[in-house]
Amino acid sequence: MMRPNSEPINTSTGVLLVRVDGSVRIGSGHVMRCLALAQAWQERGGQVLFALGVSVPSLEDRLRTESMEVINLELDEKSLGGPEDARRLLVLAKEHHTAWVVLDGYHFGPKYQRAIKEAGFKLLVVDDMAHHEHYYADIVLNQNLHAKDLRYSCEPYTRLLLGTKYVLLRREFWKWRGWKREIPEVARKALVTLGGADPDNVTLKVIHALQQVDVDGLEAVVVAGGMNPHLEELRRATQASRIPVRFKSNVSNMAELMAWADVAVATGGSTCWELAFMGVPSLLLVLAENQRRIAEEIGRVGAAVNLGWHTDLSFAEIVEALTRFLLEERLRAGMAKCAQKLVDGNGVFATFKELSSHRPSVGGTV
């Protein structure tokens, strides 16, 4: 396996205990970026335990396929991030030789973090919005472009890892570092990937829009997450398509699909950083409020086109945006170059260097 660097990361014999959730409402992005951390820990000889409060079989199967141990805490969504959640996690942490606890989810607030720290464990919080009134973590990681504009209230010892230097990419992307994308005069290969759930079925709207795009030789791959409640409807729509469309669900070779694609239609979630790394010129749709700022910032710097909130877009506007995008070579070339400057593919290893060398100290941003 090709690794971004050869520096050893001392995980000792400790377990990386990851507390994260995934569901149709929550999505799969939190789990997928934690999987990247887990894979890097695993590559260095460490053990990983995923503790899921709520989940779906497809996510658990994916983690087990990656040789991760998975324990379902069997919580309901109303109790996520609450006292019982923290109690069950601490039982696990004490039963295992836990080196670090990782939290990724908007419901793990100050009380939850403080409970972990008071129990004596090192804590990494993966964050997007700085929406908690205080952070007790040893390390807070925010991989987004706007991270350095946020104000974090945290402990003196807290270390802030902010910006795209710390984008967490899974193992399937590591071998693509340094890959150069060719930009065709006319883009004919479209990748559609709108998250792990897509409860509003925006994917179907994009499939129908592709039918109206007048570009010779157009073909597409549509990727739907395992939690998508519309899988059969999407499969039927792709089978009835007037253009060649391959339908895939719950894939583990996203990097290869991104390398194949000339363009992508995606969300403002974690996938947009994978697309940026692979230099895929992308149209972004906002499907959830937590994606809005991410899509706006990526659009602002010219690394993608932000089409905005999906309900504000008419069918005709999506068709027009797609057609124009496929035909504008110069726009796509500049976008691909800009995007690849944002994400170098070393973020997960930069993060682990911080974990392995961590000592309680005066907090600061790097």
Side-chain angles (χ1 to χ4, degrees):
M1 177 61 64
M2 182 176 180
R3 297 171 182 168
N5 60 60
S6 59
E7 295 183 26
I9 293 178
N10 180 20
T11 62
S12 302
T13 58
V15 170
L16 184 73
L17 176 56
V18 182
R19 176 67 187 89
V20 67
D21 298 298
S23 68
V24 173
R25 184 184 67 82
I26 296 170
S28 62
H30 300 286
V31 175
M32 287 297 101
R33 64 186 178 187
C34 284
L35 177 58
L37 280 169
Q39 288 172 331
W41 188 276
Q42 198 179 59
E43 283 287 307
R44 298 305 195 229
Q47 294 180 305
V48 182
L49 172 60
F50 275 81
L52 307 175
V54 295
S55 183
V56 294
S58 61
L59 276 180
E60 295 186 22
D61 290 345
R62 174 65 189 276
L63 294 174
R64 291 190 175 101
T65 298
E66 299 283 348
S67 300
M68 306 294 171
E69 184 178 354
V70 179
I71 293 180
N72 197 315
L73 299 178
E74 298 181 350
L75 298 163
D76 59 62
E77 292 208 7
K78 291 182 179 179
S79 63
L80 296 180
E84 180 61 17
D85 186 334
R87 187 193 69 78
R88 294 187 189 187
L89 184 70
L90 286 173
V91 168
L92 280 181
K94 292 170 184 176
E95 287 177 349
H96 296 77
H97 186 65
T98 300
W100 280 87
V101 174
V102 178
L103 302 179
D104 191 341
Y106 303 138
H107 39 271
F108 301 121
K111 291 182 180 179
Y112 198 109
Q113 296 176 34
R114 188 171 184 173
I116 292 171
K117 287 304 301 169
E118 289 180 345
F121 295 102
K122 293 180 182 178
L123 175 61
L124 165 66
V125 169
V126 184
D127 189 70
D128 289 312
M129 301 181 292
H131 64 294
H132 293 308
E133 61 185 29
H134 194 76
Y135 290 76
Y136 288 94
D138 296 278
I139 296 176
V140 175
L141 185 155
N142 185 329
Q143 66 182 10
N144 298 306
L145 266 175
H146 62 274
K148 293 185 179 181
D149 297 331
L150 301 175
R151 292 189 177 184
Y152 281 94
S153 171
C154 52
E155 292 295 293
Y157 57 76
T158 302
R159 191 154 175 79
L160 301 178
L161 309 183
L162 306 180
T164 57
K165 175 182 177 181
Y166 298 101
V167 166
L168 304 174
L169 295 178
R170 299 185 304 278
R171 181 159 42 206
E172 65 196 82
F173 290 95
W174 299 349
K175 68 181 180 181
W176 294 93
R177 287 185 319 118
W179 180 70
K180 300 300 181 183
R181 171 171 294 279
E182 294 185 5
I183 304 297
E185 182 178 351
V186 176
R188 293 184 169 87
K189 299 175 181 178
L191 173 65
V192 179
T193 172
L194 297 179
D198 186 18
D200 296 325
N201 207 7
V202 183
T203 301
L204 183 63
K205 188 176 181 180
V206 175
I207 292 172
H208 288 162
L210 284 167
Q211 310 305 306
Q212 303 301 316
V213 173
D214 187 17
V215 171
D216 289 340
L218 179 63
E219 59 180 309
V221 170
V222 173
V223 176
M227 296 186 300
N228 192 308
H230 310 288
L231 291 179
E232 288 308 313
E233 185 179 10
L234 293 173
R235 186 173 285 109
R236 289 194 299 269
T238 56
Q239 291 171 346
S241 172
R242 73 166 187 85
I243 66 171
V245 178
R246 288 180 285 156
F247 179 73
K248 297 181 177 292
S249 177
N250 210 29
V251 304
S252 59
N253 66 331
M254 186 62 83
E256 293 178 7
L257 295 175
M258 290 180 179
W260 167 86
D262 296 329
V263 298
V265 181
T267 69
S270 298
T271 302
C272 66
W273 301 122
E274 298 168 2
L275 291 164
F277 171 70
M278 296 296 294
V280 187
S282 301
L283 299 176
L284 300 182
L285 295 167
V286 178
L287 274 60
E289 188 58 41
N290 64 333
Q291 299 172 3
R292 188 186 297 274
R293 183 77 184 272
I294 297 171
E296 288 175 349
E297 290 298 309
I298 294 176
R300 181 183 61 80
V301 301
V305 173
N306 174 28
L307 296 179
W309 193 258
H310 71 95
T311 56
D312 294 337
L313 289 167
S314 69
F315 180 77
E317 287 172 326
I318 295 177
V319 173
E320 181 183 358
L322 274 167
T323 303
R324 185 171 62 250
F325 200 53
L326 295 172
L327 298 177
E328 292 189 6
E329 178 186 2
R330 182 176 297 181
L331 172 64
R332 288 182 280 106
M335 189 174 294
K337 184 176 181 180
C338 177
Q340 286 193 299
K341 287 182 179 179
L342 294 179
V343 184
D344 65 9
N346 292 325
V348 70
F349 290 90
T351 301
F352 265 75
K353 185 179 289 186
E354 295 291 334
L355 296 181
S356 64
S357 63
H358 173 77
R359 299 289 183 275
S361 60
V362 177
T365 301
V366 294

